[in-house]
Every structure is written in C-alpha cells, then in structure tokens.
Amino acid sequence: MTGHSRGKTTANSRNQRASAARRGWWRGGVIYQAYPRSWSDSNGDGIGDLRGIIDRLDYLEWLGIDGLWLNPLMPSPDHDWGYDVSDYKAIHPAMGTLDDFDELVAQAARRAIRIVFDLVPSHTSDRHAWFLDARSSKSSRYRDYYVWRRPGPRGSLPNNWMNYFGRAAWSFDDGTGEYYMHNFSPHQPQLNWWNAEVREEFDRILNFWLERGIGGVRLDAVQALLYDKQFRDNPPATRADSDKERRIGQRLKYNANHPDVHRIVRRWHSLAAQFDPQRLLLGETWVPSIRQMVKYYGNGTDEFDLTWNLTFLRSPFASRPLRQIIELTLRLLPDDAWAAWAASTHDDEGRATTRWCGGVPATIRCAMLLLLTLRGTPIIYYGDEIGMTEPLLGKMRRALRDEESGRSRDGSRTPMQWKAAPGAGFTSSTQPWLPLGDASVANVETQSADRGSVLWLVRDLLALRRTFDDLAVGELALVSSPAGTLAWHRGKSAFIAVNLGTSMRRIRTSGQILICTDRTRDQEYVAEWLELRSREAVVVRSTSR
Ligand code: GLC
Ligand code: CA
C-alpha cells in the first residue's frame, strides 16, 4: 500500500494550506480515531499496541488523514479501559514503552500525521499513588487532591448526586470514615480541581506530553471537572434536560457543568499556545445541547480549538434533524471557531454504521460522504472507513457497562478488520481481547483492491479535500431541498447533496459530479437537475453559484 502517492496540490492550494496550517493543522484536516487496544497487535498477546500502530502507519498515510487520536495509553488497572489512569507520565505496559511512543510520534510526523493524545483530567484511578496516599489518612498531603465528605445522618450519603453511569456519585472509604466523590465508576475518584496543586500537576502533565512533539490532546470529560463547593442537591430533571438526565432523574447541575470550568480551559489554552506549531486542544464536551457546547470555544480563540459535538453524534440519521443541528452548530460557533464532527464513538452510542445506517452499505456511504464534506474537522472512527459494523456480542463481556443506558461499549470496540483470516490481521493470537466481527464482510485487504469499495470512497473524498480547497475550508451554506434530502454549498464551487429519503429526488444544480456514493456516476455532468436515488449522495463541482 506504500506505492500510492498523495493527491497532487497546486502552488495556490499549497499557499492556502500553509496559511491554514498557521491557524492549526486541524483546520481543513481530518482526524482518525483508533482505539489502541483494538487496532493492531504486534506481539500476539491479543491486545493492540504502539508497535502495531507504527507498523500500520503506511495505511493511514495511504488513506490520507492528518491527525491520529489514540484513546488513553497510560498505565491503568483498566476498570474503564485506560480512562482510569494510575500514572500520567508513562505508557501502559500492554501498549509498549515511552520509547515506542516517541518513535510513533516521529514515524507519524514523517508521514505528515500528528498524534493526538487522550488525557483524563477529571479523575484518576483508585490505584494512582495520589489516591492511595490520600485515603491512607485524613492528614495525607494528597487528601485534598480528591473530594471528601463526612457521611450524613445515620451514615447516609452526603447528598443526592448521581454519576454519569447512573449510580450514586459517592463511595464510602472505611479507612478514613468519609465518602469520596466520583462522577464515573468508584474506581475513578474525582480530582479536586478547586485545588491549585491539582491544576499545577496537570500543567506539568500537559507539558510533558506536548513537549514530545505531539499534535495535540483530547481532554476527557471536561464538563465534569468542577463541583459545587456548597454540595447542594441536584434538582430533579425536567423535560428540558437530556434523556440521560431524565433517566437518571436529576439534572447534573452541581456535581458537573460548573461555569468556572472555562477558567481551567483558558489556562490550558495559554499553556498550549506557547508551542509552535500550534497544538490542538480537543475537548470532550459531553453536554446535552449545542448552546452549552459552543461555550467551550470561549471567544473563539481562547478555549478549545475543537469540541465534541454530542448533539450531532446522537442525531437521528434523517435530513430534518441533521439540517437543524448543522445549521445551529455553525451559527452559534463564535467567529474564528472551527467545528468538529464525529458520527461514531468508543462510548455508548457506538458505531454510526450500525446506529445510523443499520449496516446498509448505501447508507454507510452517505454517512461517510456527509461526515467528510461538512465545514469543520471530521473525526473518522477506525473501521468506519471499511463500513465495519457492530457484531452482536451476546452478553456484555469486557467493557465497563454504562449502568444508566444498560448498554455495553464492546460492540464498537472490536478489533480492526485488516483481512479475512483468523485473527483478521489484527492479531496472531487465537484470543483477541474482544471477539472479532465478521472480517469476510468488511476488511482492508479486500477493499483496498476494489476501487468501488467504501474504503476507496473515503480515500477519494480525503484526496479531493486536499486538492479542492472549497471542500476543505470553504464556508458552508445550506440550501433548501426536497423532503428527505440535504444540500449545501461549500465555498464558491463545491455543492453537496445527500438523499436520505426513500424515493428518488431532483435537486436543482449544474456542474460535474466529482464523487458519487455510486461510483459509476463519478464525472457525470448535470445540466440543471440532479437526480438522486434513495441513499445516494454526491459532491459536485458546480457552475451554478
Ligand atoms: C469519557 C470517555 C469514556 C469514559 C469517561 C470517563 O466520556 O470517552 O470512555 O468512560 O470519559 O473517563
Ligand atoms: Ca499486543
């Protein structure tokens, strides 16, 4: 796969790109998210690792991505698969070593790929040295790194706070006779971000990784950093709240979503701003509305560079809600801010190929074309580029189960399918850490040899973005279009139309189809009416604007 070259760029587009790069490599760029345990196993223990990723960088270069986001790589007892960190300045032994990491960063840079590193500031593992010390005595020097409360009357919980997994946000520590707070599992004690020492520790941690030349960091669960100092009870959920909060029965108002969190994000921003070239700060802003999400951009240049658009990810895959969400996101973003779009996740919502598309190939192609043509940075979740769906795994096996949604996260974390062979090219072990999906249905080897595959659709869309600046950075303007369809301009001459309805639709435009989800229509000329069949989508170089 190394033989393929990147798309050719003109001098003009190189200049535009150079100026975009000064404003951040992610503007106009594309991020690929690989779940490291599941992507490529180099030593046959059934667990993906850093050497496995290094071995497969040629694939990512061939695909044409700009950034590679890896879920947490640090030592962890893996109660929440790496999101319970026991040492912030080291690499999980199953993943490799710091040397491997440095080599990954260097090898990726050679291919113009930046590594985006997942950092978990809201909580540590209960095995982290700070927490072990903190719980050893009330006078521990680390006691105030965490959030402790005396029991209420007759040993009751300190207040009514519930965590994101739908359980009480407090666990009792027998040794010191107090409760500690956790916004996620009891193995993830909440760090006390009101404590200046905690903030300073994280400055050092952030520097430690940014200095290694990575392209940026993804910051986990930032809405959960701060809590109400008066420990007031959360109010009951109302119809205006997210479905999660309604199911839990309360609005997570006082154990999370504190407005002062923005001061912390600004602090990180000024820290990252000292690096050249600019490092990406991608915030996991797990908030129920776009209005709340856009606040994490601050004034557009002083908080996160990109935020996690949960509302988009959770939208039904239908033209009307998508249209509203796209329109609202772009309208509410502060000037100068840049959107991020993801359709799939390693968390409860899982893969769009299943949730949005029900595994139907034509719909999967529409989803990929839509994701890669909106204005903002697309985040491709590993395996989506080959249309990998979630296998039925029967009962929950490994993943932390979200008690609240009752859904296991395993389905979207199964190993990458490289070829139709035992171990799917992911591992030589007969026991991958999670079961494999059916690699004979979707795998890289077969699809890379087939120009009509979804993999080639994705690759061609990425290549087109590199040569067609309107598509990479152009303004987005939605246009009205028939029921069931979505259509928008990008810049002067890109026009995108997607038909998610059940019947053929005609959309007024003229120009040439550059890429259609049905590849036999590539290069077709459109004089006045574009006919789009159900579950068909196109990028047109238009002459009608
Ligand atoms: C984020 C992660 C999720 C994790 C949680 C707690 O939402 O994406 O996997 O369980 O934070 O760290
Ligand atoms: Ca391994």
Side-chain angles (χ1 to χ4, degrees), residues 80 83 123 165 184 188 218 220 284 346-347 409 413:
D80 188 6
Y83 286 97
H123 42 268
F165 293 149
F184 295 89
Q188 294 164 297
R218 179 247 189 204
D220 183 72
E284 191 208 15
H346 62 282
D347 287 330
R409 296 165 166 187
R413 298 177 176 186

Side-chain angles (χ1 to χ4, degrees), residues 36-37 40-50 52 93-96 426-427:
R37 291 187 79 82
S40 178
D41 171 22
S42 69
N43 62 352
D45 64 357
I47 302 171
D49 47 59
L50 293 177
M95 298 288 150
F426 161 71
T427 183

Side-chain angles (χ1 to χ4, degrees), residues 212-341:
R212 306 192 98 81
I214 59 176
V217 287
R218 179 247 189 204
L219 289 140
D220 183 72
V222 286
Q223 81 288 349
L225 288 183
L226 288 174
Y227 56 91
D228 179 42
K229 284 184 186 166
Q230 299 171 52
F231 295 94
R232 282 171 281 188
D233 271 351
N234 277 331
T238 67
R239 285 173 60 190
D241 291 313
S242 66
D243 44 347
K244 186 180 197 80
E245 287 165 307
R246 274 179 286 156
R247 281 197 299 265
I248 293 176
Q250 60 180 231
R251 181 184 305 168
L252 303 181
K253 176 171 179 181
Y254 290 122
N255 53 329
N257 300 308
H258 194 289
D260 281 7
V261 70
H262 296 283
R263 295 172 55 184
I264 299 171
V265 183
R266 285 197 291 275
R267 174 191 185 101
W268 292 335
H269 185 95
S270 24
L271 190 152
Q274 290 160 19
F275 287 85
D276 184 33
Q278 217 190 325
R279 309 292 205 254
L280 165 68
L281 293 183
L282 161 62
E284 191 208 15
T285 44
W286 211 95
V287 290
S289 76
I290 295 169
R291 263 170 226 291
Q292 280 167 266
M293 178 193 82
V294 294
K295 290 189 188 150
Y296 284 89
Y297 284 96
N299 67 14
T301 55
D302 65 348
E303 290 196 29
F304 285 122
D305 303 301
L306 297 177
T307 64
W308 187 244
N309 194 337
L310 187 66
T311 313
F312 173 75
L313 184 122
R314 291 190 146 188
S315 168
F317 196 52
S319 59
R320 217 189 286 195
L322 284 170
R323 191 189 165 89
Q324 267 176 12
I325 291 166
I326 294 164
E327 195 273 326
L328 197 64
T329 301
L330 295 176
R331 178 154 54 82
L332 295 183
L333 277 186
D335 296 345
D336 266 348
W338 191 251
W341 309 98

Side-chain angles (χ1 to χ4, degrees), residues 74-127:
M74 296 157 172
S76 165
D78 290 326
H79 285 287
D80 188 6
W81 300 109
Y83 286 97
D84 46 329
V85 176
S86 54
D87 180 354
Y88 285 94
K89 293 184 182 169
I91 294 289
H92 194 305
M95 298 288 150
T97 63
L98 263 180
D99 284 343
D100 295 334
F101 182 77
D102 290 340
E103 187 183 335
L104 170 65
V105 172
Q107 295 270 4
R110 236 164 264 156
R111 297 163 173 87
I113 294 170
R114 294 95 180 152
I115 301 298
V116 177
F117 192 75
D118 210 322
L119 193 61
V120 188
S122 154
H123 42 268
T124 68
S125 157
D126 59 351
R127 309 297 302 166

